[in-house]
Amino acid sequence: MRISKEEILHVAGLARLHMQQEDMARMADQLGTILAYVDTLQAVDTQGIAPMSHAVHLVNALREDVIGEHVGVEMALANAPEPEDGHFMVPKIVG
Amino acid sequence: MISTKGLSIHEARRHLDAGDFTSVALTRQILDEITRKDSLINSYITVAEAGALAQAEAADEKIRKGEAGPLTGIPVGLKDLIVTQGMPTTCASRMLENFVSPYDATVVEKLLQAGAVIPGKLNMDEFAMGSSSETSFFGPVKNPWDLSRIPGGSSGGSAAAVAAGLCLGALGSDTGGSIRQPAAHCGVVGMKPTYGRVSRYGVVAFASSLDQIGPMARNVEDCALLLQAIAGYDSRDSTSVNIPVPDYSALLSRDLSGLTIGLPVEYHGAEGMDPEMAEAIREGVQVVKACGAKTVEVRLPHMPYAVAAYYVIASSEASTNLARFDGIRYGYRTQNPSDLLDLYEKSRSEGFGEEVKRRILIGTYALSSGYYDAYYNQALKVRALIARDFTEAFSCCDLLAAPVTPAPAFPLGSAAGDPLSMYLADIFTISVNLAGIPAMSVPCGFTRAGLPMGLQLLGKPFDEGTLLRAGYAYEKEAALNIGVADPADGMKR
């Protein structure tokens, strides 16, 4: 199965990954091989079979809406690469 | 002092309670062994010497007061995707190189409550994606039985550390075989419990519908003790199942009469099986029969599609789970991005390794508009058929016996550039995760070249007890002397 460079760029964009030009051909090739293998699934007759997203049949796990233990601002920001004044900093979004 | 080398958890327990040595002494010996051996094996990412010794002192106090439980004072390592307060959790990725969790995972809370000592965090494939522990940002783990070979993965650090006596037990995670396959390659016992049996709270997610935490140890008895400590309902994991946990140690027995073991023809007649491995599995089945079990042939007709279904489902879930790594709230952040999109793309591309990016791309592709039904939905339907195969097989037997891997551990670097070939080696482990059932790898000897092999036992949902019982009987009857791997001694089996 052939995956074009355009398709790789499109998917990489959706996944918020920056694709280096020199990696493109190899990635397209490997993805093509893997997807061709995965295509064997098309041969399975799944008429009338419900998709199985989970192994256990649990319905919504609900609890009372009460405040429990929480980490607080300082701890929540402790791993942020660029915290400032109790906030997560991002580059300027509106010009 | 009595040597702590090669001791199992239950043996160490006896000595600790008898006062033959203290947990501090045991922990120091473990730390010394790490210093002596781990530059060769690379099984630890973080060694927490001060923390471990403090925990050991507290454990000794409990032991003196007669308040010790089965794991009090026992050094247990953690795969580095299980979050720990005050100690880094890296997922073996540049992305989380400096990440320190603000809270402990439920399994960590449970181990600490049980008085266990945590010597450190164990190496793995980056974000648990791989079968060789070669994709770690911190360098590959080596197989302690043969340093030129992989230890298996993704819990390769956990398996290698247990095999080499660098901890007495460890926790790993298993999404498609990541506990059982490295256990087999390193000659230790490893169990993937039923999905929902052990809380995933505080475990960095790879594929949320498949991931499960489980124990790795030198023998089945120890495995039962570790599972006992971590199993059970947790309201913080919405997929945790609220059913009673039996006393696993009480179920261990050398007598398997009354049990029927199913032998899936698709597994036992699999193409590409290493002849020595096939022979070891045949012998393993004979040993289980000698313990009183009966055998019956069963069929799992959709087994040939398991690997394909798995790679669609696991990669799809990974692509969504790993979307959280945006370079803003935690984790790696690129320098001088031109705008927000550039910040996302560069942080992720520089922070993630090649295999992780490959799986994110496969998953994103499978979930993208126009392909969702053909790939993701079809994979979920095939998953349902695979689960149904197991239900039908278990209608005439209590558990299944199978190989863990088609061949023993392969040389480091041999699958480079060909990711599909490595995916295919997971053929015997992957369907278990799709169905959510429990399974265990038990050592079944060495190849002539001295590489460990594993026998896999697969059980009904929430019937870990029968798995442990059969594994224990097998282990006692086979009486294999596995020993402790010591590459620093230049000693090979």
Side-chain angles (χ1 to χ4, degrees), chain A residues 8-56:
Chain A
I8 287 281
L9 276 177
H10 171 66
V11 175
L14 292 174
R16 299 291 184 262
L17 288 172
H18 176 77
M19 234 344 135
Q20 299 281 0
Q21 203 59 37
E22 64 263 31
D23 296 337
M24 200 94 81
R26 183 173 31 104
M27 208 48 121
D29 200 43
Q30 289 177 342
L31 248 59
T33 308
I34 294 164
L35 290 169
Y37 175 71
V38 158
D39 255 349
T40 55
L41 292 177
Q42 307 308 326
V44 185
D45 179 5
T46 53
Q47 276 253 302
I49 301 296
M52 173 181 169
S53 59
H54 253 84
V56 284

Side-chain angles (χ1 to χ4, degrees), chain B residues 104-446:
Chain B
D104 280 328
T106 295
V107 290
V108 175
E109 278 182 4
K110 286 185 170 226
L111 284 181
L112 292 176
Q113 269 162 23
V117 171
I118 315 258
K121 305 294 285 287
L122 295 160
N123 207 349
M124 52 186 273
D125 279 298
E126 184 181 5
F127 282 100
M129 296 178 191
S131 312
S132 66
S133 300
E134 291 173 291
T135 69
S136 168
F137 177 63
F138 302 97
V141 184
K142 315 278 176 59
N143 191 313
W145 296 104
D146 178 346
L147 296 173
S148 72
R149 289 178 187 265
I150 58 127
S154 65
S155 310
S158 301
V162 171
L166 307 185
C167 52
L168 271 62
L171 299 188
S173 71
D174 191 315
T175 304
S178 281
I179 287 175
R180 291 160 286 152
Q181 183 255 23
H185 283 339
C186 290
V188 302
V189 178
M191 180 195 273
K192 182 205 97 76
T194 312
Y195 185 82
R197 179 55 106 184
V198 177
S199 170
R200 294 184 297 111
Y201 178 76
V203 177
V204 180
F206 160 15
S208 306
S209 83
L210 306 167
D211 296 343
Q212 188 64 192
I213 296 295
M216 305 177 81
R218 303 247 338 272
N219 55 53
V220 176
E221 201 173 335
D222 287 2
C223 201
L225 293 174
L226 283 171
L227 181 63
Q228 198 79 51
I230 60 171
Y233 174 68
D234 177 17
S235 61
R236 293 178 296 187
D237 171 2
S238 61
T239 60
S240 171
V241 178
N242 196 358
I243 60 168
V245 179
D247 180 352
Y248 293 118
S249 298
L251 296 171
L252 303 179
S253 155
R254 294 189 63 159
D255 180 14
L256 297 185
S257 48
L259 276 192
T260 305
I261 315 249
L263 306 175
V265 292
E266 292 81 3
Y267 283 13
H268 290 271
E271 253 179 73
M273 204 46 201
D274 177 271
E276 272 190 275
M277 188 75 84
E279 181 56 28
I281 300 302
R282 270 195 297 276
E283 280 174 20
V285 170
Q286 290 311 313
V287 172
V288 177
K289 281 168 103 166
C291 298
K294 284 189 301 202
T295 58
V296 59
E297 268 195 3
V298 297
R299 291 195 167 273
L300 300 170
H302 295 92
M303 199 275 277
Y305 302 102
V307 175
Y310 172 85
Y311 276 94
V312 172
I313 295 166
S315 303
S316 297
E317 294 187 14
S319 76
T320 52
N321 272 326
L322 271 58
R324 73 190 63 179
F325 297 100
D326 56 6
I328 292 170
R329 292 158 301 154
Y330 43 77
Y332 176 85
R333 182 172 183 140
T334 192
Q335 296 297 308
N336 307 317
S338 59
D339 56 21
L340 187 62
L341 185 62
D342 196 47
L343 166 69
Y344 290 150
E345 292 193 342
K346 294 232 174 82
S347 296
R348 290 167 61 76
S349 299
E350 294 163 14
F352 290 137
E354 168 114 356
E355 179 65 20
V356 173
K357 284 188 261 192
R358 190 156 41 234
R359 297 209 198 185
I360 290 174
L361 288 174
I362 296 169
T364 307
Y365 184 89
L367 294 175
S368 66
S369 166
Y371 297 107
Y372 183 93
D373 272 324
Y375 287 104
Y376 184 63
N377 229 12
Q378 176 69 0
L380 291 185
K381 290 176 183 175
V382 173
R383 178 183 189 178
L385 291 169
I386 289 166
R388 196 171 72 184
D389 283 354
F390 278 115
T391 306
E392 283 171 11
F394 282 126
S395 68
C396 65
C397 61
D398 303 291
L399 44 90
L400 305 176
V404 182
T405 59
F410 48 82
L412 285 154
S414 58
D418 184 8
L420 184 60
S421 75
M422 184 136 50
Y423 298 175
L424 292 173
D426 294 337
I427 179 165
F428 298 126
T429 50
I430 254 169
S431 49
V432 160
N433 300 73
L434 291 169
I437 61 174
M440 179 165 69
S441 173
V442 187
C444 66
F446 287 82

